[in-house]
Every structure is written in C-alpha cells, then in structure tokens.
C-alpha cells in the first residue's frame, strides 16, 4: 500500500553534457552536408580518355558508336574534352560501367550540358539503371525538348538528377545513363555522383530537429531531447556523415569559387532551381 508524494527525478553523472555534445555533433554533421564529397566510382567521368579505334569510350558503353565522338574544342570549364552526342534518329544510349550502389539510399547525378543552338533542343534523359532483385531498375529526369522541362543553354550549365529513395538492398549493377530520344545533338562533360546531397529545404528540416533537441535539453525535458536524438534522421547522419568532413566543409563553404548550378531535378521529371552552393 505504498504511495509516493512529490516524486523527483535526478539525473546521474554528466547526462546533460553528453546530450549537449551529441547535439553539437549533429549540428556539425548537418553543416557538412552543405558541401557533399563526390563519389569516386566512375571511370573516365570527364571523357578525357581517348576513344579507341573500335569506337569504345573507356568506362562507357554506347548503343551507336558512330553517333558519339570526343570533342576537344568545347569541353566544360577548359577541360581536355567533352562527349558529343549527334543522334541521327531512334534512341541513343550512353551508360557507364556498373558500380556498387551507395549505402545511403540517395544518389545525385551532376553533369555539365550544353547545345550548339538553343532553338534545337534534344530530348535527353538523365538516368540511372540497375538490377533490383534481378529486374530492371530505371529512374530518369528529362531535359531539353518538351513542355515544363528544363531547357539546355548554348553555354555549359550543371544539371542535377537526384534520387532520394534508392533501394539499399537487392540493387546491383548500378549505372549512370544518358538516353537521347530521337534525333538531336548535345555536349556532355564532367559527370559527378554524390550519395549525401541534401537540398536547402531538407537541410532546414534537419536544423529544426537540432533546434528541437536543444530546446528540450535546456528546458529540462531530458527524455524529450533523447527521443529527438534517437529519431531516424539523427541516427542516419550519425551513421553516414563522418565528423572528420565537417572542418573541410566549413572552410570550403566560404570559398568564393563555389558556384550554384542553374538547374536541378530532385526527383524524376520535377525540376527546380537549386538555392544553395553546389561543388560543381
């Protein structure tokens, strides 16, 4: 028949200090997302390696070698070469060698694109493909010709295709792919992949989580703070974003050479202006 009157909870040890450090670490990991590190998984991503006598591009497969050539005069940002697609008709496909899918469940494809004449827009797809449990997995975003589709300029601009729900199990033989539908011409250069690219709105939501944990901690609501820190996104960042990246990211974020791209696709078929610095 025991009854309690005015119960109180006392935290043992340095619980508040530990939680405060976890919040600081989470904030540092979120800051590191401002400048994601590119994946080093593509062979010849800038098309700098010469095409051999058989028409093969090192690191890439082409459905019609006669429609593809290495252009030394109109490369992106003064690089040695770019890839020119001149499709006479039908579907022309260029795809990379397969690589291991990232474990983060996210993949962003950034590439420099341009056309010779703005009024001659090709039907181009930026895509990824693979095998998901043995079946074809294909995601894409369109640029060029068509309604409500980002147009290509006669100057190089970075275009970004982002998939944020990439399967983390059962996916194999992942590739980057460019499909030109019907006739047209386009220059492609400097293909880069990222597995931890978060846009402005996503990073704002992460900041809200950090703020919520911080307010709970300093309001004495320790259990609420722990509950926030044990949520999906704090655990995701802890698993995938090393703290060693944060110092370099903070310095690079202030670099005056960092430029923002002009077009982006965060999911297949949907294009929006990217409103943050992008390392491209």
């Amino acid at each position: 028949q025991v009854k309690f009157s005015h119960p109180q909870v006392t935290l043992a040890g340095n619980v508040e200090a530990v939680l405060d450090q976890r919040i600081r670490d989470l904030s540092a990991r979120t800051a590191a997302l401002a400048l994601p590190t590119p994946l080093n998984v593509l062979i010849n991503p800038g098309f700098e390696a010469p095409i051999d006598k058989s028409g093969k591009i090192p690191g890439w497969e082409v459905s019609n070698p006669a429609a593809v050539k290495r252009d030394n005069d109109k490369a992106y940002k003064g690089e040695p070469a770019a890839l020119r697609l001149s499709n006479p008709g039908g579907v022309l496909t260029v795809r990379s060698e397969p690589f291991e899918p990232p474990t983060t469940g996210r993949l962003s494809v950034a590439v420099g694109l341009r056309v010779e004449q703005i009024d001659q827009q090709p039907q181009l797809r930026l895509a990824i493909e693979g095998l998901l449990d043995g079946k074809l997995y294909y995601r894409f975003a369109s640029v060029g010709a068509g309604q409500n589709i980002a147009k290509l300029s006669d100057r190089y601009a970075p275009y970004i295709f982002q998939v944020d729900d990439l399967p983390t199990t059962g996916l194999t033989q992942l590739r980057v792919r460019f499909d030109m539908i019907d006739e047209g011409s386009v220059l492609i250069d400097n293909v880069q992949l990222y597995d931890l690219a978060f846009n402005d709105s996503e990073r704002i939501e992460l900041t809200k989580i950090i703020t919520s944990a911080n307010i709970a901690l300093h309001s004495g609501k320790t259990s609420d703070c722990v509950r926030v820190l044990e949520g999906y996104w704090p655990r995701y960042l802890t698993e995938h974003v090393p703290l060693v990246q944060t110092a370099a990211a903070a310095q690079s974020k202030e670099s005056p050479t960092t430029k923002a791209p002009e077009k982006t696709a965060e999911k297949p078929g949907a294009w929006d202006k990217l409103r943050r610095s992008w390392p491209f």
Side-chain angles (χ1 to χ4, degrees):
Q1 302 298 319
V2 176
K3 294 182 179 180
F4 292 95
S5 177
H6 305 295
Q8 294 182 349
V9 176
T10 302
L11 299 177
N14 59 342
V15 173
E16 292 184 355
V18 171
L19 292 177
D20 182 69
Q21 186 57 53
R22 287 182 61 181
I23 293 173
R24 292 175 183 272
D25 288 350
L26 183 61
S27 180
R29 296 179 201 274
T30 301
L33 297 177
L35 193 66
T37 302
L39 297 173
N40 186 23
V41 294
L42 293 180
I43 300 172
N44 192 25
F47 307 104
E48 298 174 3
I51 299 175
D52 64 21
K53 294 181 179 180
S54 65
K56 178 174 175 54
I57 305 169
W60 300 84
E61 297 177 2
V62 182
S63 62
N64 180 9
V68 177
K69 74 174 185 177
R70 184 171 174 265
D71 195 309
N72 299 320
D73 298 326
K74 297 182 178 179
Y76 182 60
K77 286 187 176 179
E79 294 185 358
L83 191 68
R84 179 187 292 273
L85 308 185
S86 301
N87 188 20
V91 178
L92 174 63
T93 297
V94 178
R95 61 180 190 168
S96 70
E97 298 279 349
F99 55 89
E100 287 294 322
T103 60
T104 60
R106 305 172 70 94
L107 183 66
S108 298
V109 181
V111 58
L113 300 173
R114 64 163 289 189
V115 291
E116 298 281 13
Q117 297 180 335
I118 297 178
D119 59 349
Q120 296 182 8
Q121 296 284 323
Q123 298 182 53
L124 183 66
R125 289 181 177 181
L126 315 183
I128 59 173
E129 71 160 61
L131 294 176
L132 181 59
D133 297 326
K135 298 180 180 179
L136 178 64
Y137 176 85
Y138 180 79
R139 302 284 297 276
F140 73 93
S142 297
V143 296
Q147 294 183 346
N148 301 319
I149 294 176
K151 304 305 177 185
L152 303 180
S153 171
D154 57 356
R155 295 184 178 183
Y156 274 110
Y159 289 77
I160 300 160
F161 167 46
Q162 180 169 316
V163 177
D164 57 12
D165 58 353
L166 193 72
T168 55
T169 59
L171 183 62
T172 59
Q173 298 291 304
L174 192 61
R175 303 170 185 256
V176 175
R177 178 168 167 167
F178 301 99
D179 292 323
M180 183 175 287
I181 314 300
D182 210 350
E183 63 183 42
S185 178
V186 67
L187 285 155
I188 301 175
D189 202 0
N190 198 22
V191 184
Q192 296 186 27
L193 304 182
Y194 300 87
D195 64 345
L196 283 172
F198 285 72
N199 61 29
D200 271 350
S201 60
E202 290 174 318
R203 290 193 290 123
I204 288 172
E205 291 303 315
L206 293 174
T207 301
K208 290 180 180 179
I209 293 174
I210 297 169
T211 301
S212 177
N214 204 33
I215 291 175
L217 177 62
H218 290 89
S219 300
K221 300 178 180 179
T222 310
S223 59
D224 290 347
C225 177
V226 172
R227 193 157 37 245
V228 173
L229 293 177
E230 292 297 328
Y232 174 81
W233 285 111
R235 290 187 288 108
Y236 179 94
L237 296 183
T238 299
E239 179 180 355
H240 295 294
V241 184
L243 284 174
V244 293
Q245 293 182 1
T246 60
Q251 294 176 1
S252 299
K253 186 178 180 182
E254 302 301 326
S255 172
T257 61
T258 301
K259 296 182 179 179
E262 296 184 4
K263 307 287 191 309
T264 179
E266 296 178 7
K267 58 183 179 179
W271 291 85
D272 297 292
K273 199 92 169 198
L274 197 66
R275 295 170 297 173
R276 65 175 177 82
S277 295
W278 185 272
F280 188 84

